């Protein structure tokens, strides 16, 4: 019996340890639930904030691989097909110059008594003479063949008379073009008794020989050229074929010529007229017989600044592409831009 009683408490003790204490279990569970609630209360906004910040970061900084590859390819291609332009300034007083009394002239390329073997032509462009002809004088009758010849009137009046029967008096803004072809003769005279005539005489080589002589005159007003590039001359291969007063003059040469009167602070952009390698030449029209020592009209092409009478050879241009010109002087700059092939 004793032995049995001794074992009973032991057995009873074992039974009590195996059965949970209801009070202890409730408190423990309540405590755990409270702690868990506190943890969740802090953890949820932290997790949400971290997720939001991560999502925001990814949306700002992650670009799909396909788009990045396309952008890289485009950038690389553009850089590899657009070599740096080489711009060479032709200073106004480095040109050939002659003062014949009745004729005061500058020659960009070799002409008459001015000869420079390095300045024979540029692409098909052969002559840019900036002429001032005294009142009551002019060029007497003389002959031409093959060349494309045009006069860009800056100021004054110039009479043109030729063997095709054309006779007219040209004024500012007018451009008179002759395709000499198989041969013509003409005279250019300043009949005005009050003022000199200032004009640019320009020649280009045709890409077709033995053409029938032809004659065209167009007028391009200051308003048309104000802060815009206006096409004055255009290759027949790119011409619309229309014979309207506002159309450029067509000619048989891979050459386009545009003109602008650009206000200070303004800029214009020329889109190259043809794919592949192009030659570009710019010329700033003079307001007087010499370049102003200070001020005056000025333009900037790339890092090169051009004043009145200056020109610039632009090599390395390739279409499709563009060239921008900015007016940086204190007066409006009138300039010509030539876009040409190699010949």
């Amino acid at each position: 019996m004793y032995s049995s009683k001794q074992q009973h408490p032991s057995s009873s003790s074992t039974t009590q340890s195996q059965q949970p204490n209801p009070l202890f279990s409730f408190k423990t569970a309540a405590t755990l639930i409270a702690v868990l609630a506190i943890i969740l209360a802090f953890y949820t906004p932290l997790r949400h904030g971290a997720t939001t910040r991560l999502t925001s970061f990814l949306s700002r900084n992650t670009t799909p691989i396909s788009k990045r590859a396309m952008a890289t390819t485009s950038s690389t291609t553009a850089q590899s097909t657009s070599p740096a332009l080489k711009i060479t300034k032709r200073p106004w007083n480095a040109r050939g110059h002659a003062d014949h009394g009745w004729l005061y002239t500058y020659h960009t390329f070799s002409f008459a008594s001015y000869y420079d073997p390095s300045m024979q032509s540029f692409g098909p462009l052969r002559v840019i003479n900036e002429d001032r002809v005294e009142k009551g004088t002019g060029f007497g009758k003389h002959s031409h063949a093959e060349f494309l010849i045009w006069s860009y009137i800056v100021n004054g009046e110039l009479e043109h008379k030729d063997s095709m029967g054309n006779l007219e008096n040209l004024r500012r803004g007018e451009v008179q073009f002759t395709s000499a072809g198989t041969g013509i003769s003409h005279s250019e005279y300043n009949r005005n008794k009050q003022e000199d005539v200032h004009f640019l005489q320009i020649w280009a080589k045709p890409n077709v020989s033995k053409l029938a002589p032809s004659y065209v005159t167009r007028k391009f007003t200051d308003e048309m050229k104000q802060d815009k590039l206006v096409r004055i001359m255009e290759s027949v291969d790119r011409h619309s074929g229309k014979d309207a007063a506002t159309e450029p003059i067509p000619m048989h040469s891979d050459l386009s010529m545009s003109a602008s009167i650009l206000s200070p602070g303004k800029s214009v952009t020329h889109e190259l007229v043809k794919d592949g390698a192009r030659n570009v030449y710019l010329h700033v029209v003079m307001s007087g017989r010499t370049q102003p020592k200070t001020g005056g009209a000025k333009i900037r092409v790339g890092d090169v600044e051009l004043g009145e009478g200056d020109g610039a050879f632009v090599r390395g241009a390739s279409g499709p592409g563009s060239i921008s010109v900015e007016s940086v002087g204190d007066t409006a700059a009138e300039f010509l831009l030539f876009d040409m092939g190699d010949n």
Side-chain angles (χ1 to χ4, degrees):
M1 291 293 294
Y2 179 82
S3 174
S4 173
K5 287 181 179 179
Q6 291 286 50
Q7 290 177 355
H8 182 70
S10 175
S11 174
S12 175
S13 173
T14 302
T15 302
Q16 290 177 359
S17 67
Q18 290 175 349
Q19 293 178 357
N21 186 324
L23 182 60
F24 175 78
S25 299
F26 175 77
K27 288 182 177 180
T28 301
T31 301
L32 289 173
I33 290 170
V35 171
L36 183 61
I38 292 170
I39 292 172
L40 289 173
F42 281 97
Y43 175 73
T44 300
L46 287 171
R47 182 183 63 180
H48 176 72
T51 303
T52 301
R53 287 191 294 272
L54 179 60
T55 303
S56 176
F57 173 80
L58 291 174
S59 66
R60 290 195 309 268
N61 297 283
T62 303
T63 303
I65 292 175
S66 60
K67 288 187 178 180
R68 277 186 285 157
M70 288 173 64
T72 302
T73 302
S74 175
S75 176
T76 303
T77 301
Q79 290 175 1
S80 65
T81 58
S82 300
L85 298 177
K86 181 181 179 182
I87 304 173
T88 306
K89 183 174 180 177
R90 174 74 158 137
W92 72 278
N93 54 1
R95 296 176 293 174
H97 173 57
D99 184 356
H100 300 290
W102 67 274
L103 171 65
Y104 191 89
T105 182
Y106 289 98
H107 309 305
T108 296
F109 302 103
S110 295
F111 191 87
S113 60
Y114 167 64
Y115 176 73
D116 182 340
S118 67
M119 291 292 170
Q120 295 291 86
S121 60
F122 188 48
L125 189 59
R126 176 62 186 85
V127 171
I128 303 177
N129 291 345
E130 188 155 10
D131 292 341
R132 281 180 167 80
V133 176
E134 201 172 62
K135 49 187 175 291
T137 66
F139 301 93
K141 186 177 179 180
H142 56 284
S143 298
H144 295 285
E146 294 297 348
F147 276 105
L148 309 170
I149 303 167
W150 63 99
S151 298
Y152 180 96
I153 311 301
V154 180
N155 285 308
E157 299 178 6
L158 182 69
E159 178 196 87
H160 176 94
K161 183 178 181 180
D162 65 34
S163 56
M164 292 180 282
N166 299 296
L167 173 62
E168 62 180 331
N169 212 27
L170 306 164
R171 297 174 178 83
R172 175 164 175 79
E174 291 185 297
V175 177
Q176 182 276 315
F177 168 75
T178 298
S179 176
T182 54
I184 59 102
S185 59
H186 70 173
S187 62
E188 296 148 308
Y189 215 83
N190 180 7
R191 300 290 182 187
N192 192 299
K193 303 297 184 181
Q194 305 301 319
E195 62 177 341
D196 296 350
V197 60
H198 175 199
F199 67 105
L200 295 170
Q201 185 175 136
I202 304 163
W203 298 14
K205 294 174 283 188
N207 52 19
V208 178
S209 62
K210 301 188 184 305
L211 291 166
S214 60
Y215 178 96
V216 179
T217 300
R218 292 268 196 277
K219 184 170 184 177
F220 301 90
T221 65
D222 287 5
E223 290 74 21
M224 293 170 67
K225 292 177 279 190
Q226 190 67 50
D227 298 328
K228 294 185 290 292
L229 267 174
V230 176
R231 189 65 46 81
I232 307 294
M233 312 294 298
E234 184 59 280
S235 167
V236 293
D237 296 330
R238 293 184 291 270
H239 198 275
S240 68
K242 298 177 182 178
D243 190 25
T246 56
E247 287 289 311
I249 298 171
M251 61 179 174
H252 288 84
S253 183
D254 183 10
L255 183 152
S256 298
M257 187 188 89
S258 300
S260 179
I261 301 173
L262 199 56
S263 303
K266 298 286 187 177
S267 62
V268 290
T269 299
H270 169 71
E271 299 292 335
L272 296 171
V273 299
K274 188 177 179 180
D275 290 354
R278 304 300 293 168
N279 298 302
V280 174
Y281 189 81
L282 296 102
H283 176 83
V284 183
V285 177
M286 302 183 78
S287 61
R289 293 195 169 203
T290 60
Q291 187 180 96
K293 292 183 178 180
T294 59
K298 295 179 182 179
I299 62 173
R300 180 183 294 128
V301 186
D303 295 329
V304 177
E305 189 174 287
L306 307 176
E308 296 180 17
D310 291 339
F313 298 93
V314 182
R315 298 176 174 89
S318 182
S322 61
I323 292 176
S324 294
V325 180
E326 181 185 6
S327 178
V328 295
D330 55 19
T331 62
E334 183 170 8
F335 68 92
L336 304 180
L337 185 151
F338 302 84
D339 182 338
M340 305 162 284
D342 288 330
N343 48 52

